[in-house]
């Protein structure tokens, strides 16, 4: 049960990071200004990566153990990659808007699906 609670908290934290990345991208795209790599990009990306790595490990274990309908370990892998990409690409105005939006939407879909499954399981116990 503690594992599920930690997984839920990590998933919710990643939702916040993806939303923050999306907001940052919109501001950067509007202003056209690149962020400073060492003072802004790297610290944020490192913070996201630390949570993302823990989340991916726990999420894959959870999915492989419980085998929920409509959620597979490959989706966790893809979402993890997309989260890492948006946490970096959000700081650069030359990032493709379409690709960025697709990565955000894809990651959010998996994160929200996992939150739904975890909260459903929590209510069921």
């Amino acid at each position: 049960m503690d594992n599920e609670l930690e997984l839920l908290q990590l998933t919710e934290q990643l939702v916040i990071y993806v939303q923050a990345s999306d907001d940052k991208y919109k501001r950067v795209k509007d202003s056209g200004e690149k962020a400073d790599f060492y003072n802004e990009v790297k610290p944020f990306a490192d913070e996201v990566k630390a949570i993302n790595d823990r989340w991916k490990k726990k999420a894959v274990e959870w999915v492989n153990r419980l085998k929920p309908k409509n959620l597979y370990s490959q989706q966790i892998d893809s979402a993890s990659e997309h989260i890492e990409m948006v946490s970096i690409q959000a700081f650069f105005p030359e990032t493709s808007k379409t690709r960025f939006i697709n990565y955000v939407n894809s990651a959010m879909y998996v994160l929200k699906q996992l939150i739904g499954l975890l909260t459903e399981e929590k209510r069921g116990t």
Side-chain angles (χ1 to χ4, degrees):
M1 182 59 197
D2 288 341
N3 259 351
E4 278 82 5
L5 182 60
E6 185 180 1
L7 180 56
L8 181 60
Q9 290 169 341
L10 290 170
T11 307
E12 289 170 341
Q13 183 61 54
L14 286 176
V15 166
I16 292 166
Y17 282 137
V18 172
Q19 288 171 335
S21 297
D22 192 34
D23 293 343
K24 179 67 178 173
Y25 177 71
K26 288 172 184 163
R27 287 193 305 276
V28 166
K29 199 73 171 168
D30 286 344
S31 73
E33 289 181 35
K34 286 184 185 180
D36 179 81
F37 184 79
Y38 290 103
N39 291 324
E40 281 184 84
V41 181
K42 188 167 178 7
F44 181 75
D46 287 347
E47 190 178 320
V48 172
K49 183 171 176 24
I51 300 293
N52 191 23
D53 288 349
R54 283 178 48 211
W55 172 80
K56 181 181 172 183
K57 183 178 184 293
K58 290 190 177 298
V60 167
E61 287 170 2
W62 186 84
V63 166
N64 288 338
R65 191 177 37 151
L66 286 164
K67 301 194 183 337
K69 276 187 182 175
N70 305 322
L71 188 63
Y72 305 96
S73 59
Q74 297 91 330
Q75 287 173 287
I76 301 295
D77 291 340
S78 291
S80 177
E81 283 179 34
H82 293 163
I83 291 164
E84 254 183 70
M85 284 191 255
V86 299
S87 73
I88 297 167
Q89 293 178 356
F91 292 87
F92 301 99
E94 63 272 8
T95 297
S96 164
K97 185 176 184 178
T98 303
R99 189 175 319 134
F100 187 85
I101 290 169
N102 287 340
Y103 287 156
V104 167
N105 290 342
S106 175
M108 289 299 267
Y109 174 80
V110 173
L111 293 170
K112 288 185 175 179
Q113 196 175 13
L114 185 56
I115 288 171
L117 290 166
L118 287 165
T119 51
E120 192 178 281
E121 183 182 279
K122 206 162 79 176
R123 276 190 302 247
T125 54

